[in-house]
Amino acid sequence: MIVTYNWLQDFVDIRLSPEQLADKLTLAGLEVVSCKHIGGDVVFEIEITSNRPDWLSVYGVAREVAAITGEKLKLGDRCSVLGTRAKHPAPSTKNLITIQDKKDCPYYSYRIIRNLQIKPSAADIARRLELANLRSVNCVVDLTNYLLFETGQPMHAFDLDKLSLEQGIIVRRATQKEKLVTIDGIERQLNPDILVIADNLKPLAIAGVMGGKDTEVTSATKNILLETAVFDSILVRRMRQKLALQSEAAYRFERGVDLAATPRVSLECASLIAKCSNGKLAEFKESGSKKIADRYVTLETDLVNRALGIQITAKECKSILTALGFTVKNKSASLQVKIPSFRQDVKKEVDLIEEVARIYGFDRILSSLPKISPQQASVLDLTAYLKEILFALGLNETITYSLIDKASLTKLKINLTPVEIRNPLSKEQEILRPTILTGLLNCVAHNLNQKQNQISLFEIAKIFHADDRANPVEQPVLGIALCGERTLLLDQGVVKDVFGLLHMKGILETVFSRLGIKGFAITPLTVSKDEFIIQAGAQELGRVFLPADAQLDAFEIKNKKVFLAQLDLTKLFSLAQMEKKFLPAAKYPQITRDMSFIVKDDLAVSRILEAISALGQPLENVKIVDYYRGKQIPKGFRALTISCIYRSNQRTLTEEDVSSIQEKAVRLLVDSFGVKMR
Amino acid sequence: MDINLISAQIKEELDKIVSCDQLEALRLKYLGRKGVIAELTGSIPAVNPQERGAFGKAVNALKQQLFVSLEEKQRSLGVSKAPAPESAETDLGMPGIAQELGHKHPITGIIDQVCGIFSQMGFKVLEGPEIETEHNNFTGLNIPLEHPSRDAFDTFYLKDYEKLLLRSHTSPMQVRAMAKSKPPLAIVVPGRVYRPDAVDASHLFMFHQIEGLMVDQGVKFSDLKGVLEVFVKAVFGKDVAMRFRPHFFPFTEPSVEVDISCIICKGKGCSVCGRKGWLEILGAGLVHPNVFQQAGYDAKKFSGFAFGMGVERIAMLKYGINDIRLFFENDLRFLKQF
């Protein structure tokens, strides 16, 4: 909404500088977003919230200025630069107005002005329109626009001689076949959702949105029909959306115009047009009701004070509301407030409390702190705990879009039914992702592109499934991506630690262990070499993926290996066992025996460890402590060192206690697994 | 060799030293591998056994004295210098060895900080679904389905699922929280929200919000002011000023937008605040009685306040980030700064 400083002065004396006024308006809820000095006037651009159509006019803003500054609002036409206005003859019966449905159009009126001469507007009117970003056309069109800005009432002038009014004006829904070229020169296909103003032959205008090109006022126009009406706000909104057509008129009808002021504004406009164009006011016709039932809301001063935490008197409340155009009667602290017709937004007592608060000033309300009752404590936030584990493992947190394009699923050969979006703006918003992997792969690709060589990322977010036809499912997951290598500059020199499957295993293992989840296992999927199941005992919690080169290529990742994992967090957290129980440290010392041997590459170490573990007491633990594959070892073999830890919980073990079982272990290795001891 | 003589000589030489290089040269002369002290130490076995003990002690004392003098001199020169590699076990000029930690995304960082502040005040942190019903997203919050106030909440709808949508704000959790429990209620809700906005440096189709709601008997606007003041001062600093501008939200009445004095220009007016000196950081208000009515709360008995803020906006202001898209690009050079 644009208003100017001088224009406001037509209706209220302002004793503040434009900048001070801008501040005051902002703090009263009319946010001044810019304030520009242009040729002797100051143009304010104000953001008006959708609940306040009464502020979509210079007069409405002036009313607010008067209330804020304690000035009197100057009423009546003498105040306006437009000068005094004529009287119009009483309604005639000669022409008809037919309103098909009063719900669409509660009130319609027109005034006919004959024998006019189309002239340019007076300079001060043209100037103000220009400041409001409107082009000056001629005195007729300009006056409808001027009064639209001044009063908030949209009006439209038709060239009377281009209308076939044998059956009068008809306000009706368009038919499926009708078309109309609007003033902007675009042909619009109409349909029964569109309300039109029509004569007996054709649609003339899209009601409340835009007039037709054929019937617009031109320099040749001699007689006009000036329409002033009120249209249903929801209907105008729908038409505006369907036609993708915004106009100053639609903007106001959609928010609601003041029906009570409509006849007066119509008369003002008609008489001013007649005056400036030497025309003669002729027939006036109206249809529909302009009566609005009086509405009253009771305001208890005590409630104002309780809601805001202030001490204000009934008298102060009354004076604020009166300044804003409310009529207030009060007995003691209870105010009977009559709501003016231009304040359809005020329905409840709280709406009046807001009015009092606005003018009283939110800055004058002193801060207090509420008493907050202790709530039931939330359970331990496992997500936050999980993130701490992942940070400590060197993984960086990412946040990627939940909306993705369908094609990225194809790229990754993922065959899942996604939840689709009905109204995406672009194909990047087609579906809700059924997997977290595509987002992570995009991050990997981006970072490779930026020449990053150590990429270790995770994201904790929801994925979405459409498996259930009644309700889509939201599933929180953890996604991990590893690519590249870690470079460790150690005392002995540089160690390049290239990310592999074992790094992924290490991360998952740590997560499981820290969450107290037993039975971690990662096993290859039988049908695919590039996919592994992450398990806790028999339960599947997620998968590890090694995308094939072609899949990575689709994400523009070339000559790199990427290791991905996705874990179901609901399942993971349901297994978490965060209760701790202290175990005392072992009482008796351990004896450690290492065995180094060479073994065939294709023999899984887990089998060896299991077999030795089975030897049982006093063997406490078996673990791999060294591993080598290279020069001194024949091809197809690897060197392993296994450490056996022996301990008794009854006494200190001796060498003899251990040597016999250690021998058994060696025999087991040689006999069952064909290893060669080193 | 006369130890006293050497000691005097050292003192004399030390007095003349004016630079670190000179000091290092002196250190090498006496304490180097082939230095004077090493020579003295090497000569100990040659000393006759009666004097050997005393001589050894004297050499050692000289050496200790030398360390002390060197250190004093180094301090007086005002510059500390890492010991040269050939004489020390570890060259401290080499990079330190440590496990590299991962970084928390700045959005998570802000959410944790903000929710932490409210938690300390007694608010409970909740999360809600991202797929919502029309009722929870709109009607339950007193937003009519066909009204210009909907324009601020353009929404993604789901295909194949009647009346389901992606929440366009975190406020639906107000409806859910009130449906689930009776007052008193004090919650904060962080989460992702979605709006079909054209993408540019300050708009995206997905971003994060934090919602707050408190309902009890006798909750008043001044309480909202107090709680938000605690939050603003904790996040933006003690000297930041705050102002409340009347605004309109269908689910609160009165409604306000909250500005803080620009943290860049301290309120003087700059490009970040659009020369206004103020930065809008959140919307708030007292819960509208229609919202209570829909939730089955007695609006005569209970009152409450609600607020909502954009997490990206706060992160951008706090860290000086000028493009919202950076948060979702996940460039490691960006992530590792937080």
Side-chain angles (χ1 to χ4, degrees):
Chain A
M1 173 67 194
I2 285 175
V3 298
T4 81
Y5 191 68
N6 293 347
W7 204 338
L8 285 171
Q9 298 256 29
D10 282 4
F11 303 104
V12 59
D13 292 327
I14 304 172
R15 288 174 228 281
L16 299 171
S17 74
E19 287 71 25
Q20 287 171 322
L21 180 66
D23 267 354
K24 290 256 185 198
L25 285 171
T26 297
L27 286 177
L30 299 93
E31 194 189 357
V32 177
V33 289
S34 73
C35 168
K36 289 182 192 135
H37 291 257
I38 303 174
D41 203 346
V42 183
V43 179
F44 300 102
E45 194 190 330
I46 308 181
E47 249 176 48
I48 305 290
T49 51
S50 63
N51 61 325
R52 294 304 299 267
D54 60 309
W55 281 343
L56 294 173
S57 66
V58 177
Y59 190 76
V61 175
R63 185 190 295 121
E64 194 66 33
V65 172
I68 302 168
T69 59
E71 297 288 339
K72 278 252 172 322
L73 189 63
K74 293 191 268 185
L75 294 162
D77 47 22
R78 272 159 305 152
C79 315
S80 164
V81 292
L82 301 172
T84 52
R85 290 125 205 222
K87 290 252 184 307
H88 193 272
S92 71
T93 47
K94 204 169 134 199
N95 284 312
L96 294 168
I97 296 171
T98 310
I99 301 174
Q100 195 182 48
D101 186 345
K102 285 263 158 49
K103 202 184 162 297
D104 291 348
C105 173
Y107 176 78
Y108 192 97
S109 75
Y110 65 75
R111 291 169 191 273
I112 284 171
I113 303 148
R114 295 195 186 274
N115 301 321
L116 44 73
Q117 291 166 284
I118 301 295
K119 291 186 209 165
S121 286
D124 48 356
I125 290 179
R127 176 86 190 117
R128 281 189 181 172
L129 287 177
E130 216 173 274
L131 292 176
N133 293 330
L134 282 174
R135 194 171 52 91
S136 172
V137 183
N138 57 50
C139 66
V140 173
V141 173
D142 286 2
L143 275 169
T144 59
N145 284 333
Y146 190 94
L147 283 164
L148 165 78
F149 266 82
E150 188 166 288
T151 67
Q153 170 69 53
M155 281 169 286
H156 185 68
F158 295 97
D159 186 331
L160 181 67
D161 300 316
K162 293 185 178 149
L163 310 181
S164 313
L165 289 181
E166 291 80 7
Q167 292 163 27
I169 288 284
I170 303 157
V171 184
R172 62 166 170 84
R173 295 297 183 108
T175 65
Q176 204 69 55
K177 285 177 190 153
E178 286 179 313
K179 284 177 184 169
L180 176 72
V181 178
T182 42
I183 283 174
D184 54 11
I186 298 169
E187 186 183 73
R188 314 266 172 189
Q189 177 64 54
L190 307 178
N191 62 57
D193 291 333
I194 310 285
L195 184 73
V196 292
I197 311 303
D199 60 13
N200 49 328
L201 299 177
K202 59 190 182 296
L204 309 171
I206 296 168
V209 182
M210 197 174 272
K213 184 90 183 158
D214 287 349
T215 54
E216 74 174 330
V217 174
T218 66
S219 53
T221 300
K222 292 279 176 281
N223 305 297
I224 64 162
L225 181 146
L226 179 71
E227 165 198 289
T228 315
V230 173
F231 302 106
D232 180 60
S233 50
I234 290 179
L235 178 66
V236 172
R237 179 180 165 79
R238 283 187 201 154
M239 290 196 283
R240 198 256 303 156
Q241 285 173 334
K242 282 216 174 80
L243 297 166
L245 179 59
Q246 184 59 278
S247 70
E248 292 285 351
Y251 191 76
R252 285 169 178 78
F253 280 124
E254 201 185 314
R255 284 159 176 75
V257 301
D258 179 13
L259 185 55
T262 301
R264 179 178 57 80
V265 178
S266 160
L267 175 59
E268 273 185 31
C269 189
S271 65
L272 288 166
I273 287 174
K275 199 172 136 195
C276 80
S277 64
N278 301 326
K280 193 175 172 302
L281 287 178
E283 302 93 309
F284 162 48
K285 177 74 189 160
E286 62 181 346
S287 175
S289 166
K290 52 191 174 188
K291 275 247 156 61
I292 303 165
D294 287 345
R295 290 191 302 125
Y296 293 88
V297 173
T298 307
L299 177 67
E300 304 291 344
T301 312
D302 182 40
L303 186 66
V304 179
N305 288 326
R306 268 188 289 137
L308 301 177
I310 57 172
Q311 294 294 328
I312 193 172
T313 62
K315 203 179 149 200
E316 285 172 278
C317 287
K318 185 177 175 177
S319 90
I320 287 172
L321 292 172
T322 309
L324 289 169
F326 296 90
T327 315
V328 185
K329 274 189 213 157
N330 73 310
K331 286 179 196 156
S332 68
S334 182
L335 312 185
Q336 259 312 96
V337 184
K338 186 180 172 194
I339 312 301
S341 62
F342 55 84
R343 290 304 303 271
Q344 293 300 314
D345 61 301
V346 176
K347 296 184 177 85
K348 286 186 157 53
E349 199 170 11
V350 279
D351 299 319
L352 291 174
I353 292 174
E354 177 170 71
E355 291 308 286
V356 172
R358 274 196 319 113
I359 305 299
Y360 176 85
F362 284 110
D363 53 336
R364 287 172 62 198
I365 301 176
L366 298 175
S367 301
S368 56
L369 280 174
K371 288 198 185 77
I372 300 178
S373 317
Q375 318 252 322
Q376 194 187 1
S378 14
V379 283
L380 176 68
D381 185 353
L382 284 177
T383 307
Y385 181 63
L386 174 59
K387 282 185 184 179
E388 293 305 326
I389 298 167
L390 297 167
F391 294 141
L393 289 166
L395 294 166
N396 295 293
E397 188 187 14
T398 65
I399 298 181
T400 68
Y401 299 122
S402 324
L403 292 168
I404 59 168
D405 58 335
K406 266 189 197 167
S408 56
L409 292 187
T410 327
K411 281 190 212 165
L412 210 54
K413 297 203 169 67
I414 287 178
N415 187 20
L416 292 167
T417 318
V419 179
E420 295 189 43
I421 299 297
R422 195 194 303 164
N423 56 334
L425 285 186
S426 70
K427 67 174 173 56
E428 281 74 34
Q429 307 160 357
E430 280 173 329
I431 55 168
L432 276 166
R433 56 177 173 187
T435 167
I436 204 157
L437 303 179
T438 59
L440 285 169
L441 274 174
N442 286 330
C443 293
V444 169
H446 171 87
N447 281 299
L448 285 173
N449 227 354
Q450 305 305 322
K451 306 283 174 256
Q452 298 291 312
N453 52 13
Q454 178 184 336
I455 302 171
S456 50
L457 307 171
F458 80 90
E459 179 173 19
I460 290 179
K462 283 171 178 172
I463 59 171
F464 303 83
H465 301 293
D467 309 335
D468 179 350
R469 296 315 302 168
N471 279 305
V473 177
E474 294 183 27
Q475 183 194 4
V477 296
L478 161 65
I480 299 173
L482 297 175
C483 178
E485 62 195 18
R486 258 190 318 176
T487 306
L488 302 169
L489 187 53
L490 300 176
D491 228 11
Q492 61 267 38
V494 170
V495 176
K496 294 231 179 221
D497 182 22
V498 181
F499 287 136
L501 201 51
L502 289 178
H503 290 81
M504 184 62 87
K505 181 187 170 186
I507 290 167
L508 296 170
E509 223 165 27
T510 309
V511 166
F512 274 60
S513 130
R514 280 303 179 122
L515 290 173
I517 301 172
K518 302 236 158 35
F520 169 78
I522 175 166
T523 48
L525 196 67
T526 39
V527 293
S528 164
K529 271 169 63 186
D530 306 330
E531 208 169 325
F532 302 82
I533 304 172
I534 306 164
Q535 285 167 299
Q539 192 179 1
E540 176 174 345
L541 296 186
R543 297 271 170 104
V544 171
F545 303 87
L546 274 73
D549 288 349
Q551 286 164 291
L552 292 175
D553 208 54
F555 284 85
E556 283 167 22
I557 298 171
K558 311 216 187 275
N559 306 319
K560 288 278 178 188
K561 286 245 167 294
V562 181
F563 301 86
L564 299 169
Q566 178 176 297
L567 272 168
D568 181 333
L569 284 187
T570 313
K571 283 186 191 165
L572 188 77
F573 290 159
S574 75
L575 295 176
Q577 184 48 259
M578 300 302 288
E579 296 293 321
K580 307 277 185 214
K581 193 108 195 170
F582 169 69
L583 290 174
K587 238 181 183 167
Y588 299 97
Q590 64 181 45
I591 293 179
T592 307
R593 286 282 176 277
D594 287 357
M595 301 183 283
S596 293
F597 52 89
I598 292 171
V599 65
K600 268 195 172 167
D601 247 351
D602 56 6
L603 184 67
V605 288
S606 53
R607 285 184 55 207
I608 298 176
L609 293 178
E610 275 163 29
I612 294 178
S613 296
L615 293 174
Q617 284 285 356
L619 183 63
E620 184 183 75
N621 194 9
V622 192
K623 61 183 181 186
I624 293 165
V625 291
D626 200 3
Y627 160 78
Y628 182 74
R629 199 185 331 223
K631 268 183 208 161
Q632 293 102 15
I633 310 296
K635 227 174 157 301
F637 287 83
R638 54 183 159 166
L640 281 178
T641 302
I642 284 178
S643 208
C644 298
I645 296 153
Y646 299 96
R647 192 199 309 270
S648 156
N649 53 10
Q650 273 126 29
R651 61 189 173 85
T652 303
L653 291 176
T654 61
E655 288 293 325
E656 295 77 63
D657 293 328
V658 171
S659 51
S660 66
I661 182 166
Q662 182 70 16
E663 268 165 40
K664 261 194 220 163
V666 172
R667 226 176 301 125
L668 184 72
L669 281 175
V670 176
D671 296 348
S672 307
F673 298 106
V675 313
K676 202 173 122 201
M677 299 307 289
R678 295 176 83 198
Chain B
M1 268 186 280
D2 185 342
I3 289 180
N4 289 330
L5 208 67
I6 295 172
S7 177
Q9 191 188 335
I10 290 173
K11 196 168 184 304
E12 198 176 309
E13 284 177 38
L14 261 173
D15 286 343
K16 287 184 198 152
I17 280 174
V18 292
S19 76
C20 288
D21 287 343
Q22 287 172 333
L23 186 66
E24 179 63 13
L26 181 125
R27 191 187 68 79
L28 285 175
K29 178 178 168 189
Y30 289 97
L31 288 170
R33 266 196 299 139
K34 292 176 180 167
V36 176
I37 300 287
E39 208 178 305
L40 283 172
T41 313
S43 70
I44 292 174
V47 177
N48 77 54
Q50 284 86 31
E51 293 168 24
R52 201 180 289 162
F55 183 77
K57 271 185 189 154
V59 171
N60 207 31
L62 177 66
K63 192 173 166 185
Q64 293 309 321
Q65 178 56 44
L66 190 52
F67 279 131
V68 173
S69 306
L70 280 172
E71 210 181 305
E72 272 172 9
K73 189 75 197 177
Q74 190 181 0
R75 230 179 285 139
S76 76
L77 287 172
V79 198
S80 69
K81 206 179 164 206
E86 68 264 39
S87 65
E89 294 215 345
T90 302
D91 178 0
L92 284 175
M94 290 294 280
I97 299 167
Q99 160 74 36
E100 200 182 319
L101 297 184
H103 295 259
K104 189 185 270 189
H105 195 284
I107 292 297
T108 310
I110 296 286
I111 288 176
D112 287 355
Q113 192 194 356
V114 173
C115 291
I117 294 163
F118 284 104
S119 281
Q120 285 182 35
M121 286 192 269
F123 286 74
K124 187 173 172 178
V125 182
L126 294 180
E127 281 181 38
E130 292 168 31
I131 295 176
E132 265 297 358
T133 61
E134 239 176 17
H135 175 83
N136 288 347
N137 201 66
F138 294 123
T139 32
L141 289 165
N142 196 36
I143 307 173
L145 287 180
E146 291 193 86
H147 188 266
S149 58
R150 273 283 307 269
D151 289 354
F153 301 99
D154 257 359
T155 309
F156 283 116
Y157 277 85
L158 303 191
K159 219 191 229 176
D160 308 324
Y161 293 97
E162 187 85 12
K163 297 199 164 139
L164 286 187
L165 46 80
L166 292 182
R167 64 175 175 192
S168 52
H169 49 174
T170 38
S171 308
M173 266 310 277
Q174 289 190 28
V175 180
R176 286 180 181 269
M178 287 193 269
K180 206 176 159 196
S181 34
K182 295 283 150 227
L185 206 62
I187 57 164
V188 277
V189 186
R192 295 181 182 215
V193 300
Y194 305 86
R195 289 182 197 173
D197 276 345
V199 173
D200 62 30
S202 42
H203 296 90
L204 266 180
F205 55 88
M206 180 187 104
F207 54 99
H208 295 75
Q209 281 190 337
I210 298 173
E211 186 82 9
L213 173 71
M214 176 175 179
V215 184
D216 202 347
Q217 292 186 36
V219 176
K220 47 198 189 293
F221 196 90
S222 55
D223 295 337
L224 168 65
K225 262 189 111 165
V227 163
L228 291 180
E229 213 167 81
V230 170
F231 152 71
V232 161
K233 294 207 186 293
V235 174
F236 294 103
K238 284 198 177 69
D239 303 328
V240 166
M242 242 172 121
R243 73 172 188 186
F244 288 64
R245 266 185 299 110
H247 200 71
F248 170 65
F249 302 109
F251 36 99
T252 49
E253 189 82 23
S255 300
V256 289
E257 274 186 339
V258 179
D259 297 342
I260 57 168
S261 53
C262 180
I263 50 178
I264 314 289
C265 64
K266 311 281 176 228
K268 289 187 199 78
C270 66
S271 63
V272 174
C273 60
R275 320 256 157 242
K276 285 185 279 189
W278 294 96
L279 296 165
E280 179 202 325
I281 53 155
L282 58 86
L286 295 182
V287 179
H288 197 290
N290 290 358
V291 175
F292 280 150
Q293 200 187 332
Q294 297 244 27
Y297 278 20
D298 182 354
K300 285 214 158 42
K301 193 172 167 197
F302 296 105
S303 57
F305 60 72
F307 56 86
M309 67 188 91
V311 180
E312 280 79 359
R313 165 121 183 118
I314 290 177
M316 287 168 88
L317 290 175
K318 211 168 146 60
Y319 300 128
I321 295 166
N322 55 10
D323 193 327
I324 193 172
R325 289 168 288 200
L326 288 171
F327 291 113
F328 304 99
E329 209 173 64
N330 298 296
D331 191 307
L332 282 165
R333 294 165 303 176
F334 172 85
L335 296 176
K336 286 184 176 178
Q337 293 182 43
F338 300 97

